Amino acid sequence: MAEVQVYGVWCSAFVRRVEMGLKMKRVEYEYIEEDLKNKSDLLLKYNPIYKKVPVMLHNRNVLVESLIILEYIDEVWEGPPILPKDPYERARARFLAKFIDDKLPSMWKACWSAGEEREKLIVETREALKILENELKGKKFFGGDSIGLVDITANFIAGWFLGLHESVGLQIMTQENFPNLMKWAEEYSGNSFIKENMPDKEKLVAHYKILKTGAQS
Amino acid sequence: MADEVVLLDLYGSMFAMRVRIAFAEKDIKYDNREQDSVNKSQLLLEMNPVHKKIPVLLHNGKPVCESLIIVEYIDEVWNHNSPLLPSDPYHKAHARFWADFVDKKVNDPARRIWLKKGEELEIAKKEFIEALKLLERELGDKTYFGGDKFGFVDVALIPFYSWFETYETCGNFSIEEHCPTLITWGKKCMERESVHKSLADPKKICEIVFTVLRKKYGLE
């Protein structure tokens, strides 16, 4: 059995975060694809409370929740740091990562909803994006010169949120209203390391369209 | 130059209590500034523009927000005594998971117990007890969630203990009946000076909830 195993689904931004963290540290791992409609006994055993992916196994240690796993990866393995060394900067990174996770559900819903609810979610999403936009002033990445915890956590924005924008023709986040974020997303997605940890955009959009219409895949 | 440590505080808030406990555990002196949650001060709005909420720690003028993030920051900066998080990465991850569980699964139903009536209240009670039972199972026969040492998860959960009387009154139920081990743990934590100094008086919380908050939300 491999020293490190990751249970996930190909389309989950949370799972991809963990894979990014492991790859940053050049840690070999075995990946196991789960079927969320038919969760394996092992997944339910390892994550009985939330029954979700990602789950990471390291020797006998079972870890869940992507941000908690990323901190563990940073503490266990040498290599490029995921979190800053300075306690204040670490607190700031944790704050922004949590903020992104708190806003993620409504950002995603904003892409798929309609009418009055949609308008409300778009306003909420843009308010959240404004905070991230300001955070990027004068910086290449949220982590400064290199990718860090917040950049990894924001994979959802660069890959899933913007991916949907392109395919479905959304205007929630544009060059005009969020130039810093758009520049960050281009830099981020252009990075070969990041590219190999994002699912194919077309496949992703097709998958969510099917889920939305409730059709059988 | 001496450190300037300021806490933007709110007496009855369990999140603020977490920070007060962490400071007391480490014997850190700080300037405590009680805030008005209705008429928010300019300082609070400036220092926590994203959420506009307490607690906020100002360390030499720089703000740290979100109670569990503040407690980790305190543990990292004032690392000379009373560590709150374990040093082993796996045990640390485990502690973070359960502290996060308190925020995800205890806080919201707990809030609904004093905010709601009828069917919604019953649902909130059920979810609250389910979450406490999972925590009880995690505690097992340990003295604290941290084992022999009072730690991060204890800090995260114990402030809710000061609100138990309020929940029991609003919901007309006994928490001890469902979770006796957790009540024993709560009493043990209350023996610590850092805890009984930092927790709000349960009677005062009841008073605030019944005379101010429930009226504000149209329940009284």
Side-chain angles (χ1 to χ4, degrees):
Chain A
M1 195 180 89
E3 186 182 306
V4 180
Q5 294 182 309
V6 174
Y7 287 76
V9 291
W10 66 273
C11 54
S12 160
F14 305 96
V15 171
R16 295 288 178 158
R17 289 172 185 173
V18 170
E19 292 192 87
M20 253 190 240
L22 289 169
K23 284 177 179 167
M24 254 175 93
K25 303 280 192 179
R26 300 194 194 289
V27 177
E28 302 264 320
Y29 64 95
E30 182 193 350
Y31 175 80
I32 297 120
E33 179 78 13
E34 275 286 328
D35 177 358
L36 294 183
K37 290 199 209 93
N38 188 19
K39 293 176 184 179
S40 72
D41 288 342
L42 279 179
L43 176 64
L44 298 175
K45 175 183 155 192
Y46 293 136
N47 193 356
I49 299 212
Y50 300 121
K51 305 176 175 53
K52 284 181 177 177
V53 290
V55 172
M56 185 176 101
L57 268 62
H58 176 215
N59 297 326
R60 288 197 168 165
N61 296 335
V62 180
L63 296 121
V64 302
E65 298 294 290
S66 62
L67 298 185
I68 292 176
I69 298 173
L70 283 169
E71 293 230 29
Y72 176 87
I73 291 170
D74 205 32
E75 284 158 20
V76 169
W77 285 285
E78 300 277 311
I82 296 173
L83 275 110
K85 290 268 175 289
D86 172 70
Y88 181 76
E89 296 305 322
R90 288 162 77 79
R92 186 82 192 143
R94 285 171 179 146
F95 176 85
L96 288 166
K98 182 172 190 290
F99 177 75
I100 291 169
D101 261 6
D102 287 346
K103 297 297 174 186
L104 202 148
S106 36
M107 271 190 209
W108 192 229
K109 234 174 148 188
C111 299
W112 298 103
S113 52
E116 213 177 284
E117 198 205 4
R118 184 159 192 268
E119 291 313 308
K120 193 168 150 255
L121 287 166
I122 289 177
V123 168
E124 204 184 309
T125 297
R126 285 188 176 142
E127 276 168 10
L129 291 174
K130 227 194 300 186
I131 293 186
L132 299 174
E133 175 78 7
N134 288 338
E135 191 62 30
L136 277 169
K137 270 200 194 114
K139 292 203 295 209
K140 188 174 169 191
F141 297 112
F142 289 101
D145 291 327
S146 50
I147 283 162
L149 180 75
V150 184
D151 302 279
I152 296 175
T153 308
N155 69 340
F156 167 78
I157 296 173
W160 284 249
F161 189 64
L162 276 181
L164 210 56
H165 266 57
E166 282 168 32
S167 304
V168 179
L170 294 171
Q171 295 286 310
I172 304 173
M173 181 168 139
T174 65
Q175 188 59 45
E176 284 70 43
N177 57 10
F178 297 104
N180 293 346
L181 270 167
M182 293 302 278
K183 184 161 177 275
W184 164 83
E186 200 185 316
E187 186 76 50
Y188 185 75
S189 305
N191 178 310
S192 58
F193 166 78
I194 297 293
K195 250 205 291 237
E196 58 184 62
N197 286 297
M198 294 282 211
D200 175 73
K201 274 184 193 161
E202 293 309 319
K203 192 176 169 198
L204 197 65
V205 173
H207 169 76
Y208 282 109
K209 272 185 171 160
I210 288 169
L211 276 184
K212 193 194 176 206
T213 58
Q216 292 301 309
S217 51
Chain B
M1 193 183 85
D3 255 350
E4 193 200 41
V5 186
V6 176
L7 175 63
L8 302 187
D9 194 9
L10 193 66
Y11 176 71
S13 156
M14 39 290 239
F15 306 102
M17 286 180 222
R18 288 169 172 174
V19 181
R20 302 201 297 256
I21 295 169
F23 276 139
E25 281 285 315
K26 305 259 185 186
D27 202 20
I28 301 162
K29 302 280 173 282
Y30 62 99
D31 175 9
N32 184 308
R33 297 192 200 165
E34 182 75 7
Q35 298 295 297
D36 180 343
S37 60
V38 175
N39 298 308
K40 295 183 181 184
S41 70
Q42 198 49 42
L43 183 63
L44 175 60
L45 297 174
E46 238 174 78
M47 292 299 157
N48 190 358
V50 176
H51 299 301
K52 306 176 177 52
K53 283 183 179 177
I54 55 88
V56 179
L57 162 61
L58 300 175
H59 188 200
N60 296 323
K62 290 181 0 176
V64 183
C65 307
E66 296 293 291
S67 60
L68 294 180
I69 292 175
I70 297 173
V71 172
E72 282 218 47
Y73 176 82
I74 289 171
D75 207 36
E76 283 171 18
V77 171
W78 289 277
N79 56 7
H80 59 292
N81 70 349
S82 307
L84 295 170
L85 274 142
S87 51
D88 170 74
Y90 177 64
H91 293 137
K92 210 186 275 198
H94 196 77
R96 283 177 177 142
F97 173 85
W98 283 104
D100 180 61
F101 177 86
V102 174
D103 276 1
K104 278 191 168 81
K105 295 291 188 185
V106 174
N107 181 45
D108 184 64
R111 203 178 133 79
R112 279 184 277 128
I113 291 175
W114 63 264
L115 263 175
K116 303 289 180 188
K117 278 181 163 168
E119 183 67 34
E120 286 180 294
L121 168 58
E122 294 308 310
I123 292 170
K125 273 162 63 179
K126 184 166 169 284
E127 286 175 16
F128 178 71
I129 293 293
E130 268 167 18
L132 288 190
K133 282 202 156 114
L134 283 168
L135 282 158
E136 225 186 19
R137 217 169 69 188
E138 168 58 22
L139 178 66
D141 54 12
K142 302 195 293 283
T143 310
Y144 300 113
F145 284 94
D148 294 328
K149 289 208 243 155
F150 181 79
F152 193 60
V153 184
D154 305 282
V155 174
L157 183 61
I158 193 61
F160 286 83
Y161 185 79
S162 66
W163 277 71
F164 278 8
E165 192 175 317
T166 299
Y167 302 143
E168 287 173 329
T169 310
C170 290
N172 191 27
F173 69 121
S174 156
I175 294 172
E176 184 156 19
E177 206 177 285
H178 297 276
C179 305
T181 313
L182 215 55
I183 298 297
T184 306
W185 161 83
K187 289 178 178 159
K188 181 81 188 164
C189 289
M190 286 296 282
E191 289 171 13
R192 297 181 77 78
E193 193 184 343
S194 66
V195 175
H196 70 246
K197 238 178 50 173
S198 308
L199 253 53
D201 177 349
K203 301 253 176 283
K204 284 210 176 109
I205 291 174
C206 249
E207 198 186 304
I208 296 169
V209 169
F210 281 94
T211 62
V212 179
L213 293 176
R214 276 166 68 98
K215 264 204 194 115
K216 180 179 165 189
Y217 292 101
L219 285 151
E220 299 289 326

